Amino acid sequence: MTTEVRRAAEILRAGGLVAFPTETVYGLGADASNAAAVARLYAVKGRPPGHPVIVHFDSLERALAWTREVPKEARILAERFWPGPLTLILKRSEKAKDFVTGGQPCVGIRVPSHPVAQALLKEFGGGVAAPSANRFGRISPTSAAHVREDLGSDVDLVLEGGPSEVGIESTIVDLSGGTAVLLRPGRISKADLQQVVDVEEKTASSPRHSGGLERHYSPRTPARLVPTHLLDKEIAQLGDKVAVLAFSRPDERVDFWLRMPREPQGYAQRLYAALRELDGTGCELILVEAPPEAPEWAAVRDRLLRACG
Ligand code: TXA
Ligand code: MG
């Protein structure tokens, strides 16, 4: 236990805000039992009221105390994938108040695996409400430096934990309605989930979640997805006005070109830092080479579609 983590837990207990690393992205944490602390969290994020936040715990036992009527599929998923990049939506117990659930009868819970997150959650001993540590609608942070850039002095402490290993937000599965429904794809894919439980895709009646808004996780610069076979034509037309995120080697007509891995986990890991970098170049448009249609690219495709509005 480092003194830094102990100090972070004290700040949480006093109603303050602590940004901390998780294996997915950095979270902006507040005591999930403290209405005033969560209100400040919403204010700093600029998040509209009524949007639920995920509550983080050090263990399955502590997490399940915030829920009731837990279906067996939830236990199976938790035992298989926790600690790790999975969020479960379950019916809430009286511990989960309206101010973390957005007034909904269900709560989002997650047990992250990052050692710093684990240490903090263990030391704090309760639930920590934590959305991604970025202003609402912007790109999620995958390093402590990203958090400081975005939130500056609005956060009481930023815990350092290196670059996020997964790089995109957790997979969300809704189990509040009996069957398992995939609300947000992530590193844990639908196929991974299907190995242990039956999972359906979401429909229009699934609980609302801010990741479901159309434009989200966006750079400030307009971004556009371009199929591989049209990339050359677009570059010929737009030339020096664009920055490019692509699989292929840089084209000399373009000043800012980031080459991405041809493998989805490596791509996801680098995606947000890459979008931030291209966003800072002053270009007029970011062209993003569309990733393959294959299921293993589902989570990356989801984030790119949102980034490209
Ligand atoms: O990987 C992650 O999940 C990161 C790290 C920090 O854990 N957190 C994160 O939180 O992405 P956030 O707030 O940016 O996105 C959480 C998503 C939102 O779309 C939220 O609305 C949904 O989870 N969610 C949380 N609680 C919910 C609930 N009770 N019902 C439905 N959706 C819920
Ligand atoms: Mg977010």
Side-chain angles (χ1 to χ4, degrees), residues 278-290:
L278 294 183
D279 208 12
T281 60
C283 66
E284 288 175 20
L285 178 68
I286 299 171
L287 294 180
V288 181
E289 182 177 359

Side-chain angles (χ1 to χ4, degrees), residues 22 24-27 47 52-54 56 87 89 104 106-108 110 130-132 169-170 172 184 207-211:
T22 83
T24 56
V25 299
Y26 276 67
R47 189 173 213 170
V53 277
I54 298 172
H56 298 65
T87 296
I89 311 291
Q104 298 184 81
C106 46
V107 61
R110 169 160 127 75
S132 48
E169 304 79 0
S170 61
I172 304 182
R184 180 171 74 184
R208 88 197 114 102
H209 63 120
S210 61

